[in-house]
Amino acid sequence: MAFTLNGNPLAVDVAFKTSDGTQYPANWLRLATAQEKTDLGIAEVADAPVYDSRFYWGNGTAKALDDVNATDENGDLLKDENGDQIVTLGVKSVLKAQEKVTAGSLLAKYDWYVVRKAEKSTAIPTAITTYRDGVRTACNTRETEIDACADTAALVTLYGQTEKDGVFTPNMTQYPTDPNS
């Protein structure tokens, strides 16, 4: 909750002075009753809404889900220095790229097994092979889940979780558990 005095914002835990010169300590807003604040002319105002920047611009407008060709202020298509169309990535493309980075980092930890097999013909442990296959499958499934979202609300739900009997379960397919964790 935010506070104002005479239309000016008051920061919590910061000393302030009223128009008559009375100085109030930094903890006053936390300790004062609602009536004491009202008597002084302090109004409580709702905090500005905060939007998830993966899906929304700062003003709450949903970002474009799909890629679009970039245009200039006249509506003409923008080209790069090679003459190729510049594309502005939509939320789905950005999220799918992030999934690829996540999967790549999960796989990288065990890449040395693959190199060792190629160089020395040493078998990769089954637990590692199963894990690596699971990471790739989970990544592909997550990308499919992202693509299946028809609107921003569906994406927000996908990236959320569901609560049942005090247990929270992610709505999106999860990556497998690291066999060495």
Side-chain angles (χ1 to χ4, degrees), residues 1-14 16 26-34 36-38 41-48:
M1 204 40 79
F3 301 97
T4 61
L5 176 61
N6 301 324
N8 298 315
L10 287 178
V12 176
D13 295 329
V14 175
F16 65 97
N27 63 350
W28 191 87
L29 286 173
R30 289 197 186 278
L31 300 176
T33 65
E36 288 171 325
K37 292 174 195 164
T38 300
I42 295 175
E44 240 179 275
V45 294
D47 290 326

Side-chain angles (χ1 to χ4, degrees), residues 97-117:
Q98 289 172 349
E99 291 302 330
K100 288 181 187 338
V101 169
T102 299
S105 68
L106 293 171
L107 292 170
K109 180 176 180 181
Y110 296 109
D111 282 351
W112 70 272
Y113 282 107
V114 177
V115 173
R116 183 181 71 173
K117 179 167 176 40

Side-chain angles (χ1 to χ4, degrees), residues 79-97:
K79 307 282 184 179
D80 64 15
E81 61 277 356
N82 298 322
D84 296 324
Q85 175 63 48
I86 297 174
V87 175
T88 302
L89 297 178
V91 173
K92 288 182 180 183
S93 289
V94 171
L95 293 174
K96 290 189 297 184

Side-chain angles (χ1 to χ4, degrees), residues 163-175:
E163 185 269 333
K164 182 177 180 187
D165 299 327
V167 176
F168 291 90
T169 306
N171 295 332
M172 183 178 250
T173 298
Q174 296 300 290
Y175 286 101

Side-chain angles (χ1 to χ4, degrees), residues 5 19 73 104 131 137 151:
L5 176 61
S19 58
E73 59 277 351
Y131 171 74
T137 299
D151 55 27

Side-chain angles (χ1 to χ4, degrees), residues 114-158:
V114 177
V115 173
R116 183 181 71 173
K117 179 167 176 40
E119 291 179 353
K120 302 290 185 182
S121 298
T122 303
I124 301 171
T126 303
I128 301 302
T129 302
T130 301
Y131 171 74
R132 290 173 61 87
D133 289 343
V135 167
R136 286 187 284 270
T137 299
C139 181
N140 290 336
T141 302
R142 289 168 73 100
E143 288 182 35
T144 300
E145 291 169 344
I146 291 166
D147 277 333
C149 293
D151 55 27
T152 302
L155 267 177
V156 170
T157 299
L158 177 64

